[in-house]
Amino acid sequence: MHADTGGLAMCSPQWVRQRQGAAARIKLPGNASVSAVIIFGDSIVDTGNNNNNFKTLARSNFPPYGKDLKGGMPTGRYSNGKVPSDLIVEALGIKELLPAYLDPTLQPKDLLTGVVIAAGGAGYDPLTAQVAGVASLSDQLKQFKEYIKKVKAIAGEERTNFIISNSLFFVVAGSNDISNTYFLTGIRKLEYDVPSYTDLMIKYASEFVKDLYGLGARRIGVLNSPPIGCVPSQRTVAGGVLRECDEKQNQASQLFNSKLSAEADELNKNLPNSRVVYIDIYNPLLDLINNPTKYGFEVANKGCCGSGIIEVTKLCNQIQPAGTCSDDSKYVFWDSYHPTERAYKIIVQQILDKYTNFFF
């Protein structure tokens, strides 16, 4: 652990012991410390918040999801193993897995080092979560307020304020807005073109970051939208007979991303003592997709689960006849929408190497 000893003096030995459960792989600058990691957004980072939400199809708490996690148990992570939430806390030496806030087995002490509040299917646009039947970002903000109350009950106000101000926050959203709410269902096409829809997304993204700041968050990483037109399901739906990348969706992502980057700069200027860090995942994932062999992958246009071209969530299950591929480490994608743990590891390592110092 690379920790600020002055900060740790405010914390109980029990808390320190829990934080030492994993060996840190990322060196933090100077005296910097990270108390906890708290993540909002969608299925890229959700670790099980939809498990007991039977209004939605956006669940993954059944085999073969999680087959490469310790014990091979499905937990609600949308992959074969760990997802970026886990890989971030593991690299920081905080803990091995970042639990879902709504996990009924969550222990009070788990709250002190962070949770995932994200819900698979959510987006910046409130309509995205509404259509999916999941917690919107405003719902997630309410859950964060509950989280703060619970931490105060455990640790007291002063220590809670220290934990929140020294935590890393990540917001991962946007892909469902573009792929589902705009292009697939076409609901928003009736009133918005792509430029005005991405403006709407930015408005909600900016408000969410300001709301987090108002609740004490100071180090906030905002991930941009991936090349959503190149994920297997979107190739199938919109990529023609050859299943090429859908450039319309990719161009929408790129437009959103350029606006998000500019908005992050504005937020940094206007929110005192904040570090709002714009994080590019578009290009790292696109490089894996376009140059799979460079990273030791063999398949980048299909997922490992089933036929690999359409199966995701409920369609990726144990009874679908195609089963799963024999070696998911050769695949960039686990299902038709979400990368494999191995692909996530490569992307998360690149992100941490590039952006960690910007938070301090």
Side-chain angles (χ1 to χ4, degrees):
M1 285 301 304
H2 301 274
D4 179 338
T5 53
L8 285 178
M10 296 172 62
C11 304
S12 72
Q14 180 188 7
W15 186 64
V16 177
R17 281 198 299 275
Q18 195 202 345
R19 287 174 54 79
Q20 292 170 339
R25 292 202 305 272
I26 292 291
K27 190 176 190 315
L28 301 180
N31 285 335
S33 67
V34 176
S35 306
V37 173
I38 300 164
I39 305 188
F40 303 87
D42 61 24
S43 59
I44 299 300
V45 287
D46 185 2
T47 55
N49 283 312
N50 283 350
N51 288 1
N52 296 313
N53 175 4
F54 298 106
K55 294 182 297 184
T56 186
L57 295 174
R59 297 199 306 277
S60 58
N61 56 330
F62 44 82
Y65 285 97
K67 77 177 190 63
D68 297 322
L69 275 173
K70 206 179 284 182
M73 292 294 290
T75 58
R77 288 166 171 81
Y78 297 75
S79 191
N80 59 300
K82 292 176 182 176
V83 295
S85 315
D86 306 311
L87 300 170
I88 290 166
V89 289
E90 189 176 29
L92 290 168
I94 293 174
K95 48 192 176 187
E96 188 184 356
L97 299 172
L98 194 60
Y101 176 61
L102 298 180
D103 180 349
T105 67
L106 195 68
Q107 298 299 306
K109 71 178 190 302
D110 296 329
L111 296 171
L112 300 178
T113 46
V115 289
V116 174
I117 303 180
Y124 286 117
D125 181 352
L127 187 59
T128 301
Q130 190 182 330
V131 169
V134 301
S136 66
L137 283 183
S138 60
D139 294 326
Q140 293 178 32
L141 198 72
K142 286 176 193 161
Q143 291 174 6
F144 179 50
K145 289 175 183 174
E146 286 173 14
Y147 164 86
I148 294 171
K149 280 185 186 171
K150 288 179 181 176
V151 174
K152 281 182 179 173
I154 299 163
E157 184 136 7
E158 187 184 354
R159 187 170 148 207
T160 299
N161 293 340
F162 172 82
I163 291 170
I164 299 298
S165 62
N166 284 277
S167 292
L168 287 186
F169 293 81
F170 293 93
V171 187
V172 184
S175 58
N176 293 321
D177 298 318
I178 292 167
S179 66
N180 296 340
T181 310
Y182 196 83
F183 283 98
L184 183 64
T185 65
I187 301 169
R188 287 298 199 190
K189 279 188 180 180
L190 301 171
E191 47 186 326
Y192 298 96
D193 58 9
V194 169
S196 60
Y197 186 61
T198 52
D199 284 343
L200 181 77
M201 291 169 64
I202 292 295
K203 178 176 90 74
Y204 283 116
S206 181
E207 284 174 3
F208 187 73
V209 170
K210 288 173 189 168
D211 286 339
L212 286 180
Y213 179 86
L215 292 169
R218 292 295 176 266
R219 305 164 177 171
I220 306 168
V222 184
L223 277 67
N224 70 4
S225 179
I228 197 67
C230 292
V231 306
S233 63
Q234 303 313 302
R235 288 175 181 263
T236 304
V237 169
V241 179
L242 296 177
R243 297 184 63 255
E244 303 287 352
C245 292
D246 177 19
E247 287 311 317
K248 284 184 180 174
Q249 292 190 55
N250 282 357
Q251 285 161 10
S253 281
Q254 289 169 335
L255 181 59
F256 170 73
N257 292 345
S258 64
K259 292 175 180 180
L260 186 66
S261 177
E263 188 62 26
D265 289 342
E266 282 301 305
L267 289 165
N268 269 320
K269 286 177 199 163
N270 295 322
L271 301 177
N273 301 316
S274 69
R275 296 280 190 278
V276 180
V277 182
Y278 169 84
I279 295 174
D280 174 32
I281 57 162
Y282 185 100
N283 290 296
L285 179 56
L286 190 63
D287 198 43
L288 260 63
I289 292 166
N290 287 340
N291 303 293
T293 54
K294 179 170 127 184
Y295 299 94
F297 294 107
E298 293 177 9
V299 184
N301 66 350
K302 293 194 302 185
C304 168
C305 185
S307 67
I309 61 174
I310 205 70
E311 292 87 349
V312 64
T313 60
K314 284 292 185 184
L315 296 177
C316 172
N317 58 60
Q318 272 193 313
I319 52 178
Q320 49 83 17
T324 56
C325 66
S326 58
D327 185 357
D328 53 46
S329 71
K330 293 176 180 173
Y331 282 68
V332 173
F333 289 94
W334 162 247
D335 59 19
S336 70
Y337 205 86
H338 305 97
T340 54
E341 178 183 326
R342 184 164 172 263
Y344 278 142
K345 275 183 175 171
I346 293 166
I347 294 168
V348 168
Q349 191 59 52
Q350 288 178 5
I351 285 171
L352 291 172
D353 289 345
K354 183 174 179 180
Y355 296 104
T356 297
N357 285 3
F358 289 106
F359 287 101
F360 303 98

